[in-house]
Amino acid sequence: MSKKTAKFLKIVLPLLLGVLLVWYSLSKISIEELFTYFKNADYFYISLGLFFGLLSHLSRAYRWKFMIEPLGYTLRLPNSIMAVFATYLVNYTIPRAGEITRATILTNYEGVPFEKGFGTIVAERMADMLVMLGIISITLFLEFDFIYQFFSERFEPQKIIIGLIVILVFISLLLVFIKRSQTKIAIKVRTFVAGLVEGIMTIFKMKKKWAFIFHTLFIWGMYVLMFYVTSLSLEETSSLPFAAILIGFISASFSIAATNGGIGSYPVAVYAAFSIFAIAKEPSIAFGWIMWSSQTFMIIVLGGLSLIYLPIYNRTE
C-alpha cells in the first residue's frame, strides 16, 4: 500500500464510519422524537456542562505552559488557549491533524521548534492516558460486583475465567516476543513504549510538576462533571446511577478517537453503555446527541474565532 493510499484511507475511513454511525443512531430514534428531546431538554444543565467543558479546555491551555517553560520559552496564555481550541476544531476535519496544527501555531507565533512543541503534546497525551486508565481502574474497582454480575448472567463464569487466562497468557507471550524479537514491528513497539516512559518521566522532572498534575486531574474531573451535569438535562437520564455515568463517560471518551471528533460514534457509544443498565434507547441516544452537539457547538464557535483572531492578536503584539 502506497503512502498516498494509506493517507487517503486515514482521512476517508473515519468519515465513512461516522456517516454509518450517524445513520445507525438515527435508525434507533426518529428525527421528530430526537427534536422533541432537544426541545424539552433543560438548557440550564446543558449550559452548565458547557461551562465545565470550557474550564477543562482553559486548564489544558494553562497546563501547556508548564511543559514549554523547561524548553526555554515563555508561552503566552492567549496563544495557548487559541491553539487548544484550534486543535479541537481541526480534529473534526482530519483525525489527529489538530495536534500538528497546535505545534505549528506554537512554532509560528512563539518561535518554539516544531519537534519540541509536538513532543510536549505527545507527553501531555501520555499524562491524559494515565488518568483515563486510572478512571477505568476506579470504575472496575467500584463497580466490580455489577460488572461481574452483568457478564456472568450472559456468559458462564468458567468461560469468563478461561477467557481471562487466555488473554493474560497471550499478553505475556506478546510482551516476551516484543522484548526479545528484532523484527521491525517489535523494534517500533519497543521504541514507542520507551518514548512513552520517557515522556511520562519528564512530567515528574519539571519544576512545576505538582501544578501540572493538579491541572491534569482538574481537566478530567471537569470532563466527568460535564458528562454528569448534562445528563440532568433530560428527565429520563437525570437519575442515572453513578456506575452508568462512569461507564458512559469512558465509552464516550473512546468513541472520540473512532471518528472525527466523535461524529456519529459518540451517541452510539453512550447508547451502548447505557443499555447495560437497561436504560431506554431513545433517551440514551438523545442524550448522546445533546452532549456531543453542545460540545461541538462550543468548539466550532471558539475554535473558529481562535483561527481568525490568532494572526490579529500576534500582529498587534
Side-chain angles (χ1 to χ4, degrees), residues 57 60-61 64 79-106 118 121 124-125 256 260-261 299-300 302-304 306-307 310:
H57 300 323
R60 180 177 295 278
W64 199 20
N79 275 340
S80 184
I81 292 172
M82 288 186 283
V84 166
F85 280 113
T87 296
Y88 289 129
L89 180 61
V90 173
N91 277 338
Y92 277 85
T93 57
I94 303 175
R96 298 304 154 203
E99 281 69 22
I100 297 174
T101 300
R102 188 173 165 192
T104 303
I105 290 172
L106 189 66
F118 191 76
I121 297 171
E124 180 184 271
R125 294 302 185 191
I256 295 175
N260 302 24
I299 293 302
I300 291 174
L302 297 181
S306 295
L307 288 175
L310 261 169

Side-chain angles (χ1 to χ4, degrees), residues 52-313:
F52 290 133
L54 177 62
L55 287 181
S56 71
H57 300 323
L58 294 177
S59 180
R60 180 177 295 278
Y62 193 74
R63 182 185 67 171
W64 199 20
K65 290 168 59 68
F66 301 142
M67 306 192 75
I68 298 299
E69 287 175 1
L71 301 177
Y73 299 90
T74 300
L75 174 58
R76 289 170 290 178
L77 185 59
N79 275 340
S80 184
I81 292 172
M82 288 186 283
V84 166
F85 280 113
T87 296
Y88 289 129
L89 180 61
V90 173
N91 277 338
Y92 277 85
T93 57
I94 303 175
R96 298 304 154 203
E99 281 69 22
I100 297 174
T101 300
R102 188 173 165 192
T104 303
I105 290 172
L106 189 66
T107 300
N108 292 340
Y109 298 122
E110 297 291 349
V112 180
F114 177 85
E115 63 277 6
K116 291 186 177 182
F118 191 76
T120 63
I121 297 171
V122 173
E124 180 184 271
R125 294 302 185 191
M126 294 173 191
D128 291 332
M129 182 179 67
L130 281 179
V131 177
M132 187 61 180
L133 290 174
I135 293 174
I136 294 173
S137 299
I138 291 172
T139 302
L140 290 174
F141 176 77
L142 293 177
E143 306 299 336
F144 178 80
D145 291 340
F146 174 82
I147 295 172
Y148 178 80
Q149 181 181 357
F150 174 80
F151 283 102
S152 63
E153 289 176 352
R154 291 158 178 78
F155 307 96
E156 295 180 14
Q158 295 85 352
K159 290 184 178 180
I160 296 176
I161 295 173
I162 293 173
L164 290 174
I165 293 174
V166 170
I167 292 172
L168 289 174
V169 171
F170 174 76
I171 292 174
S172 300
L173 293 174
L174 183 62
L175 290 175
V176 171
F177 169 78
I178 291 172
K179 184 177 181 179
R180 297 181 178 180
S181 176
Q182 294 303 315
T183 61
K184 290 183 178 180
I185 295 177
I187 293 172
K188 285 184 178 180
V189 172
R190 285 202 299 269
T191 303
F192 176 74
V193 172
L196 283 178
V197 173
E198 184 179 357
I200 292 168
M201 293 309 296
T202 58
I203 294 171
F204 295 97
K205 293 177 182 178
M206 67 175 65
K207 292 182 179 179
K208 298 179 180 178
K209 59 184 177 183
W210 294 114
F212 179 90
I213 292 172
F214 167 78
H215 277 277
T216 301
L217 296 176
F218 178 81
I219 289 167
W220 285 89
M222 290 300 101
Y223 284 163
V224 175
L225 195 56
M226 170 184 70
F227 191 89
Y228 166 68
V229 166
T230 307
S231 72
L232 301 176
S233 63
L234 294 180
E235 183 179 353
E236 294 86 349
T237 59
S238 61
S239 57
L240 290 174
F242 187 59
I245 293 295
L246 287 177
I247 295 176
F249 169 77
I250 293 169
S251 178
S253 298
F254 280 114
S255 75
I256 295 175
T259 59
N260 302 24
I263 298 173
S265 61
Y266 198 99
V268 172
V270 171
Y271 162 57
F274 286 179
S275 65
I276 297 175
F277 301 87
I279 300 170
K281 63 181 179 181
E282 290 82 2
S284 298
I285 293 176
F287 166 70
W289 275 110
I290 289 172
M291 183 76 201
W292 180 84
S293 299
S294 60
Q295 296 302 315
T296 298
F297 172 78
M298 177 174 65
I299 293 302
I300 291 174
V301 172
L302 297 181
L305 290 175
S306 295
L307 288 175
I308 293 172
Y309 190 63
L310 261 169
I312 299 173
Y313 171 77

